[in-house]
Amino acid sequence: MPRSIWKGSISFGLVQIPVALYPAEEPNELHFTQLDKRNMTPIRYERVNRETGEPVSWDDIVRGYPYEKGEYVVMSDEDLRRANVEATQTVDILDFVDESEIDPMYYDKPYYLAPASQNSKKKSPVTAYVLLREALRKTGKVGIAKVVIRTREHIAAVRPRGRALVLNLLRFAHELRTDEELDLPEMDAEGKGLGKRELEMAERLVAEMATEWKPEKYKDEYRDDVMKLIEKKVKSGQTTTPAEPAEEEDHRRDTGTVDLIALLKKSLGQKGGKAANDDKETSESSPKVRKTDTPKRKSGSRRAA
């Protein structure tokens, strides 16, 4: 069972539901180690005091907010929690809306919400959890909530998914760019030279390729291909010197005028299509720290977040 990253409660109206927050995604990215190509030795990055050049251990690192040039206020984890205890311990549902009204562009990151005391003899937390889950399921609504995770407040959608309640972090409206900055064609399709025949054929192509949404059908083929290449290099003994990348053909499409009818006919003739981290921090509370002018930061150093 994964470790919870947050414990608190869901609040809507007068109802409080103790819950724990668990990651709902499992990134499967390829991670590469950076090497010095002269002797293939891994490169080490250190936390270094920019004034003394000495390494700094995690125990000596605190979180500082630069309120002026060279002036910092140190904030510990306890300080951040005390700033607003309720906000850091509550998924506060503000409204209920139709899920279909939320533009997918607002969705960011998913988490599971689980009752915080499933093994308790008291049934009230589990009962309240089921109550909210089934109410959302039957009404087709999602809860729009505020929640603080780590050091940032988020807006989120609470919605049912099978036996679970899922908390999807959402982007705030000001975090999305408007498309007005882009040179986009107007909504008048006919005015842009698009004929009725082309549109009918495009609609037919979409209908022929339509299917049920099955996410397990789609695989990260690029990652698989990279892993095959890595295995091939290992078998051939290429494990010490980096190989020069092979020259590839230019597969970019011609950006000139295209024959939509020909492309649509070709598409219709084919049967199917190919779809395509939390740093450990230990902090001490302090009202204010003054940092004097210091030499230029050394390469490889990193300021504490």
Side-chain angles (χ1 to χ4, degrees):
M1 182 175 180
R3 180 181 300 178
S4 67
I5 64 172
W6 181 96
K7 286 187 177 181
S9 63
I10 299 175
S11 171
F12 69 104
L14 300 178
V15 179
Q16 297 283 332
I17 309 172
V19 291
L21 191 70
Y22 297 89
E25 62 177 357
E26 189 174 14
N28 194 21
E29 300 177 359
L30 290 172
H31 296 281
F32 294 93
T33 299
Q34 291 188 323
L35 307 173
D36 185 334
K37 70 177 182 179
R38 296 170 296 181
N39 59 5
M40 305 308 292
T41 300
I43 298 173
R44 181 176 64 190
Y45 292 91
E46 296 181 323
R47 298 170 299 279
V48 178
N49 184 308
R50 71 166 71 174
E51 183 176 349
T52 66
E54 297 293 328
V56 182
S57 68
W58 284 114
D59 291 340
D60 293 325
I61 295 178
V62 295
R63 183 190 292 108
Y65 178 81
Y67 71 96
E68 287 182 7
K69 185 176 181 180
E71 301 281 348
Y72 299 89
V73 172
V74 172
M75 296 292 290
S76 67
D77 291 339
E78 181 61 21
D79 289 330
L80 295 172
R81 190 189 71 82
R82 282 202 310 261
N84 189 330
V85 175
E86 184 177 353
T88 58
Q89 296 180 346
T90 308
V91 177
D92 187 16
I93 296 179
L94 308 174
D95 301 293
F96 292 99
V97 304
D98 288 335
E99 186 172 13
S100 60
E101 293 181 0
I102 302 177
D103 190 322
M105 288 187 68
Y106 283 95
Y107 284 101
D108 188 7
K109 191 171 186 177
Y111 291 90
Y112 285 120
L113 288 165
S117 54
Q118 291 186 5
N119 296 327
S120 171
K121 294 181 180 179
K122 296 181 180 180
K123 295 183 178 181
S124 55
V126 174
T127 302
Y129 182 93
V130 174
L131 174 68
L132 177 59
R133 184 188 68 193
E134 296 309 308
L136 293 175
R137 191 190 314 281
K138 291 183 180 298
T139 59
K141 302 289 186 181
V142 298
I144 302 300
K146 289 282 192 72
V147 59
V148 173
I149 299 178
R150 299 187 175 101
T151 61
R152 181 186 171 192
E153 183 176 67
H154 302 265
I155 187 172
V158 178
R159 59 185 184 84
R161 185 180 185 273
R163 297 183 302 151
L165 282 173
V166 172
L167 182 138
N168 266 108
L169 296 187
L170 302 175
R171 297 179 177 89
F172 285 99
H174 68 266
E175 294 180 309
L176 288 177
R177 287 183 170 179
T178 174
D179 61 10
E180 293 178 358
E181 304 173 8
L182 306 176
D183 184 17
L184 300 174
E186 297 298 329
M187 296 294 290
D188 180 14
E190 294 183 0
K192 294 300 178 181
L194 185 62
K196 183 178 179 181
R197 185 182 176 192
E198 289 98 325
L199 185 56
E200 289 177 347
M201 293 183 69
E203 291 174 354
R204 179 183 164 194
L205 174 60
V206 171
E208 288 191 4
M209 294 180 64
T211 184
E212 294 182 2
W213 166 239
K214 296 180 179 178
E216 64 277 3
K217 168 183 174 183
Y218 307 97
K219 308 296 182 182
D220 186 351
E221 295 179 356
Y222 177 74
R223 182 185 186 280
D224 293 341
D225 290 339
V226 172
M227 286 304 302
K228 289 177 182 178
L229 180 57
I230 290 174
E231 292 170 2
K232 182 179 179 181
K233 284 178 174 288
V234 171
K235 290 180 179 179
S236 64
Q238 298 183 55
T239 57
T240 55
T241 55
E244 292 294 330
E247 189 172 338
E248 297 180 357
E249 297 180 10
D250 188 354
H251 295 290
R252 291 175 296 181
R253 295 187 180 185
D254 183 7
T255 57
T257 304
V258 296
D259 185 346
L260 283 177
I261 294 291
L263 288 177
L264 289 167
K265 284 183 176 179
K266 185 176 180 180
S267 298
L268 286 168
Q270 297 175 350
K271 297 182 179 179
K274 189 175 183 180
N277 309 336
D278 193 355
D279 288 345
K280 174 185 175 186
E281 297 173 332
T282 305
S283 307
E284 295 180 6
S285 144
S286 175
K288 175 179 173 182
V289 171
R290 179 179 180 84
K291 186 167 180 61
T292 57
D293 293 334
T294 57
K296 187 176 180 182
R297 183 180 182 180
K298 292 194 174 185
S299 175
S301 64
R302 184 179 66 183
R303 190 168 74 181

PDB file of all heavy atoms in Angstrom, residues 49-68:
ATOM      1  N   ASN A  49      27.566  25.786   0.229  1.00  0.00           N
ATOM      2  CA  ASN A  49      27.435  27.160   0.717  1.00  0.00           C
ATOM      3  C   ASN A  49      28.174  28.072  -0.248  1.00  0.00           C
ATOM      4  O   ASN A  49      29.387  27.935  -0.441  1.00  0.00           O
ATOM      5  CB  ASN A  49      28.037  27.260   2.127  1.00  0.00           C
ATOM      6  CG  ASN A  49      27.844  28.640   2.735  1.00  0.00           C
ATOM      7  OD1 ASN A  49      28.178  29.650   2.132  1.00  0.00           O
ATOM      8  ND2 ASN A  49      27.318  28.665   3.946  1.00  0.00           N
ATOM      9  N   ARG A  50      27.475  29.003  -0.871  1.00  0.00           N
ATOM     10  CA  ARG A  50      28.090  29.812  -1.917  1.00  0.00           C
ATOM     11  C   ARG A  50      29.159  30.759  -1.360  1.00  0.00           C
ATOM     12  O   ARG A  50      29.998  31.263  -2.104  1.00  0.00           O
ATOM     13  CB  ARG A  50      27.032  30.609  -2.685  1.00  0.00           C
ATOM     14  CG  ARG A  50      26.419  31.739  -1.912  1.00  0.00           C
ATOM     15  CD  ARG A  50      25.649  32.692  -2.817  1.00  0.00           C
ATOM     16  NE  ARG A  50      24.430  32.083  -3.310  1.00  0.00           N
ATOM     17  CZ  ARG A  50      23.531  32.747  -4.026  1.00  0.00           C
ATOM     18  NH1 ARG A  50      23.709  34.031  -4.313  1.00  0.00           N
ATOM     19  NH2 ARG A  50      22.436  32.132  -4.452  1.00  0.00           N
ATOM     20  N   GLU A  51      29.126  31.037  -0.062  1.00  0.00           N
ATOM     21  CA  GLU A  51      30.116  31.927   0.540  1.00  0.00           C
ATOM     22  C   GLU A  51      31.394  31.187   0.927  1.00  0.00           C
ATOM     23  O   GLU A  51      32.498  31.640   0.651  1.00  0.00           O
ATOM     24  CB  GLU A  51      29.526  32.604   1.784  1.00  0.00           C
ATOM     25  CG  GLU A  51      30.463  33.602   2.443  1.00  0.00           C
ATOM     26  CD  GLU A  51      29.822  34.329   3.610  1.00  0.00           C
ATOM     27  OE1 GLU A  51      28.588  34.198   3.773  1.00  0.00           O
ATOM     28  OE2 GLU A  51      30.545  35.018   4.340  1.00  0.00           O
ATOM     29  N   THR A  52      31.228  30.008   1.564  1.00  0.00           N
ATOM     30  CA  THR A  52      32.400  29.274   2.033  1.00  0.00           C
ATOM     31  C   THR A  52      32.855  28.191   1.070  1.00  0.00           C
ATOM     32  O   THR A  52      33.985  27.725   1.150  1.00  0.00           O
ATOM     33  CB  THR A  52      32.104  28.621   3.397  1.00  0.00           C
ATOM     34  OG1 THR A  52      31.091  27.608   3.215  1.00  0.00           O
ATOM     35  CG2 THR A  52      31.618  29.655   4.399  1.00  0.00           C
ATOM     36  N   GLY A  53      31.955  27.756   0.194  1.00  0.00           N
ATOM     37  CA  GLY A  53      32.279  26.668  -0.709  1.00  0.00           C
ATOM     38  C   GLY A  53      32.200  25.307  -0.055  1.00  0.00           C
ATOM     39  O   GLY A  53      32.504  24.293  -0.683  1.00  0.00           O
ATOM     40  N   GLU A  54      31.768  25.253   1.216  1.00  0.00           N
ATOM     41  CA  GLU A  54      31.678  24.002   1.951  1.00  0.00           C
ATOM     42  C   GLU A  54      30.357  23.288   1.661  1.00  0.00           C
ATOM     43  O   GLU A  54      29.317  23.943   1.516  1.00  0.00           O
ATOM     44  CB  GLU A  54      31.790  24.262   3.456  1.00  0.00           C
ATOM     45  CG  GLU A  54      33.128  24.853   3.889  1.00  0.00           C
ATOM     46  CD  GLU A  54      34.267  23.869   3.709  1.00  0.00           C
ATOM     47  OE1 GLU A  54      34.014  22.652   3.842  1.00  0.00           O
ATOM     48  OE2 GLU A  54      35.394  24.301   3.415  1.00  0.00           O
ATOM     49  N   PRO A  55      30.374  21.931   1.613  1.00  0.00           N
ATOM     50  CA  PRO A  55      29.119  21.180   1.457  1.00  0.00           C
ATOM     51  C   PRO A  55      28.191  21.416   2.649  1.00  0.00           C
ATOM     52  O   PRO A  55      28.660  21.633   3.777  1.00  0.00           O
ATOM     53  CB  PRO A  55      29.582  19.721   1.410  1.00  0.00           C
ATOM     54  CG  PRO A  55      31.020  19.790   0.996  1.00  0.00           C
ATOM     55  CD  PRO A  55      31.561  21.048   1.607  1.00  0.00           C
ATOM     56  N   VAL A  56      26.869  21.376   2.401  1.00  0.00           N
ATOM     57  CA  VAL A  56      25.873  21.610   3.446  1.00  0.00           C
ATOM     58  C   VAL A  56      24.987  20.373   3.554  1.00  0.00           C
ATOM     59  O   VAL A  56      24.435  19.907   2.559  1.00  0.00           O
ATOM     60  CB  VAL A  56      25.006  22.847   3.138  1.00  0.00           C
ATOM     61  CG1 VAL A  56      24.002  23.101   4.255  1.00  0.00           C
ATOM     62  CG2 VAL A  56      25.889  24.071   2.930  1.00  0.00           C
ATOM     63  N   SER A  57      24.828  19.843   4.760  1.00  0.00           N
ATOM     64  CA  SER A  57      23.982  18.671   4.968  1.00  0.00           C
ATOM     65  C   SER A  57      22.520  19.092   5.023  1.00  0.00           C
ATOM     66  O   SER A  57      22.195  20.266   5.269  1.00  0.00           O
ATOM     67  CB  SER A  57      24.361  17.964   6.280  1.00  0.00           C
ATOM     68  OG  SER A  57      24.014  18.779   7.390  1.00  0.00           O
ATOM     69  N   TRP A  58      21.622  18.116   4.826  1.00  0.00           N
ATOM     70  CA  TRP A  58      20.195  18.407   4.868  1.00  0.00           C
ATOM     71  C   TRP A  58      19.786  18.977   6.228  1.00  0.00           C
ATOM     72  O   TRP A  58      18.898  19.828   6.317  1.00  0.00           O
ATOM     73  CB  TRP A  58      19.388  17.142   4.575  1.00  0.00           C
ATOM     74  CG  TRP A  58      19.361  16.752   3.127  1.00  0.00           C
ATOM     75  CD1 TRP A  58      19.900  15.642   2.555  1.00  0.00           C
ATOM     76  CD2 TRP A  58      18.773  17.486   2.055  1.00  0.00           C
ATOM     77  NE1 TRP A  58      19.689  15.630   1.202  1.00  0.00           N
ATOM     78  CE2 TRP A  58      18.986  16.751   0.867  1.00  0.00           C
ATOM     79  CE3 TRP A  58      18.080  18.694   1.984  1.00  0.00           C
ATOM     80  CZ2 TRP A  58      18.542  17.186  -0.380  1.00  0.00           C
ATOM     81  CZ3 TRP A  58      17.630  19.128   0.733  1.00  0.00           C
ATOM     82  CH2 TRP A  58      17.866  18.379  -0.426  1.00  0.00           C
ATOM     83  N   ASP A  59      20.426  18.528   7.291  1.00  0.00           N
ATOM     84  CA  ASP A  59      20.068  18.987   8.635  1.00  0.00           C
ATOM     85  C   ASP A  59      20.344  20.466   8.837  1.00  0.00           C
ATOM     86  O   ASP A  59      19.778  21.094   9.733  1.00  0.00           O
ATOM     87  CB  ASP A  59      20.836  18.182   9.691  1.00  0.00           C
ATOM     88  CG  ASP A  59      20.362  16.741   9.766  1.00  0.00           C
ATOM     89  OD1 ASP A  59      19.229  16.477   9.307  1.00  0.00           O
ATOM     90  OD2 ASP A  59      21.113  15.888  10.267  1.00  0.00           O
ATOM     91  N   ASP A  60      21.208  21.033   8.021  1.00  0.00           N
ATOM     92  CA  ASP A  60      21.565  22.449   8.166  1.00  0.00           C
ATOM     93  C   ASP A  60      20.850  23.343   7.167  1.00  0.00           C
ATOM     94  O   ASP A  60      21.146  24.534   7.075  1.00  0.00           O
ATOM     95  CB  ASP A  60      23.084  22.617   8.002  1.00  0.00           C
ATOM     96  CG  ASP A  60      23.860  21.980   9.136  1.00  0.00           C
ATOM     97  OD1 ASP A  60      23.347  22.020  10.276  1.00  0.00           O
ATOM     98  OD2 ASP A  60      24.954  21.440   8.878  1.00  0.00           O
ATOM     99  N   ILE A  61      19.932  22.771   6.410  1.00  0.00           N
ATOM    100  CA  ILE A  61      19.226  23.554   5.391  1.00  0.00           C
ATOM    101  C   ILE A  61      17.852  23.959   5.902  1.00  0.00           C
ATOM    102  O   ILE A  61      17.097  23.140   6.423  1.00  0.00           O
ATOM    103  CB  ILE A  61      19.090  22.751   4.082  1.00  0.00           C
ATOM    104  CG1 ILE A  61      20.471  22.484   3.478  1.00  0.00           C
ATOM    105  CG2 ILE A  61      18.219  23.510   3.078  1.00  0.00           C
ATOM    106  CD1 ILE A  61      20.436  21.646   2.215  1.00  0.00           C
ATOM    107  N   VAL A  62      17.532  25.239   5.781  1.00  0.00           N
ATOM    108  CA  VAL A  62      16.220  25.759   6.155  1.00  0.00           C
ATOM    109  C   VAL A  62      15.606  26.455   4.950  1.00  0.00           C
ATOM    110  O   VAL A  62      16.279  26.749   3.965  1.00  0.00           O
ATOM    111  CB  VAL A  62      16.316  26.742   7.349  1.00  0.00           C
ATOM    112  CG1 VAL A  62      16.796  26.023   8.601  1.00  0.00           C
ATOM    113  CG2 VAL A  62      17.239  27.911   7.018  1.00  0.00           C
ATOM    114  N   ARG A  63      14.326  26.719   5.031  1.00  0.00           N
ATOM    115  CA  ARG A  63      13.586  27.339   3.937  1.00  0.00           C
ATOM    116  C   ARG A  63      13.504  28.848   4.188  1.00  0.00           C
ATOM    117  O   ARG A  63      12.977  29.280   5.211  1.00  0.00           O
ATOM    118  CB  ARG A  63      12.187  26.732   3.866  1.00  0.00           C
ATOM    119  CG  ARG A  63      11.340  27.233   2.714  1.00  0.00           C
ATOM    120  CD  ARG A  63       9.895  26.777   2.849  1.00  0.00           C
ATOM    121  NE  ARG A  63       9.750  25.338   2.691  1.00  0.00           N
ATOM    122  CZ  ARG A  63       9.480  24.507   3.673  1.00  0.00           C
ATOM    123  NH1 ARG A  63       9.351  24.968   4.920  1.00  0.00           N
ATOM    124  NH2 ARG A  63       9.336  23.214   3.458  1.00  0.00           N
ATOM    125  N   GLY A  64      14.025  29.645   3.247  1.00  0.00           N
ATOM    126  CA  GLY A  64      14.025  31.098   3.412  1.00  0.00           C
ATOM    127  C   GLY A  64      13.268  31.812   2.313  1.00  0.00           C
ATOM    128  O   GLY A  64      13.426  31.473   1.130  1.00  0.00           O
ATOM    129  N   TYR A  65      12.450  32.803   2.694  1.00  0.00           N
ATOM    130  CA  TYR A  65      11.722  33.600   1.702  1.00  0.00           C
ATOM    131  C   TYR A  65      12.447  34.934   1.513  1.00  0.00           C
ATOM    132  O   TYR A  65      12.626  35.692   2.469  1.00  0.00           O
ATOM    133  CB  TYR A  65      10.289  33.852   2.156  1.00  0.00           C
ATOM    134  CG  TYR A  65       9.513  34.718   1.178  1.00  0.00           C
ATOM    135  CD1 TYR A  65       8.956  34.164   0.036  1.00  0.00           C
ATOM    136  CD2 TYR A  65       9.379  36.090   1.390  1.00  0.00           C
ATOM    137  CE1 TYR A  65       8.272  34.946  -0.874  1.00  0.00           C
ATOM    138  CE2 TYR A  65       8.698  36.891   0.484  1.00  0.00           C
ATOM    139  CZ  TYR A  65       8.142  36.306  -0.655  1.00  0.00           C
ATOM    140  OH  TYR A  65       7.481  37.092  -1.554  1.00  0.00           O
ATOM    141  N   PRO A  66      12.881  35.259   0.276  1.00  0.00           N
ATOM    142  CA  PRO A  66      13.607  36.516   0.035  1.00  0.00           C
ATOM    143  C   PRO A  66      12.643  37.701  -0.074  1.00  0.00           C
ATOM    144  O   PRO A  66      12.093  37.965  -1.137  1.00  0.00           O
ATOM    145  CB  PRO A  66      14.318  36.244  -1.296  1.00  0.00           C
ATOM    146  CG  PRO A  66      13.434  35.265  -2.002  1.00  0.00           C
ATOM    147  CD  PRO A  66      12.787  34.419  -0.943  1.00  0.00           C
ATOM    148  N   TYR A  67      12.438  38.420   1.038  1.00  0.00           N
ATOM    149  CA  TYR A  67      11.498  39.543   1.008  1.00  0.00           C
ATOM    150  C   TYR A  67      12.167  40.823   0.511  1.00  0.00           C
ATOM    151  O   TYR A  67      11.492  41.765   0.089  1.00  0.00           O
ATOM    152  CB  TYR A  67      10.870  39.763   2.392  1.00  0.00           C
ATOM    153  CG  TYR A  67      11.782  40.320   3.439  1.00  0.00           C
ATOM    154  CD1 TYR A  67      11.817  41.687   3.717  1.00  0.00           C
ATOM    155  CD2 TYR A  67      12.614  39.488   4.169  1.00  0.00           C
ATOM    156  CE1 TYR A  67      12.652  42.193   4.687  1.00  0.00           C
ATOM    157  CE2 TYR A  67      13.448  39.984   5.143  1.00  0.00           C
ATOM    158  CZ  TYR A  67      13.473  41.347   5.406  1.00  0.00           C
ATOM    159  OH  TYR A  67      14.309  41.854   6.365  1.00  0.00           O
ATOM    160  N   GLU A  68      13.476  40.881   0.545  1.00  0.00           N
ATOM    161  CA  GLU A  68      14.249  41.968  -0.054  1.00  0.00           C
ATOM    162  C   GLU A  68      15.557  41.372  -0.558  1.00  0.00           C
ATOM    163  O   GLU A  68      15.906  40.237  -0.217  1.00  0.00           O
ATOM    164  CB  GLU A  68      14.562  43.079   0.973  1.00  0.00           C
ATOM    165  CG  GLU A  68      13.377  43.948   1.345  1.00  0.00           C
ATOM    166  CD  GLU A  68      13.765  45.047   2.329  1.00  0.00           C
ATOM    167  OE1 GLU A  68      14.973  45.187   2.596  1.00  0.00           O
ATOM    168  OE2 GLU A  68      12.865  45.728   2.821  1.00  0.00           O
TER     169      GLU A  68
END
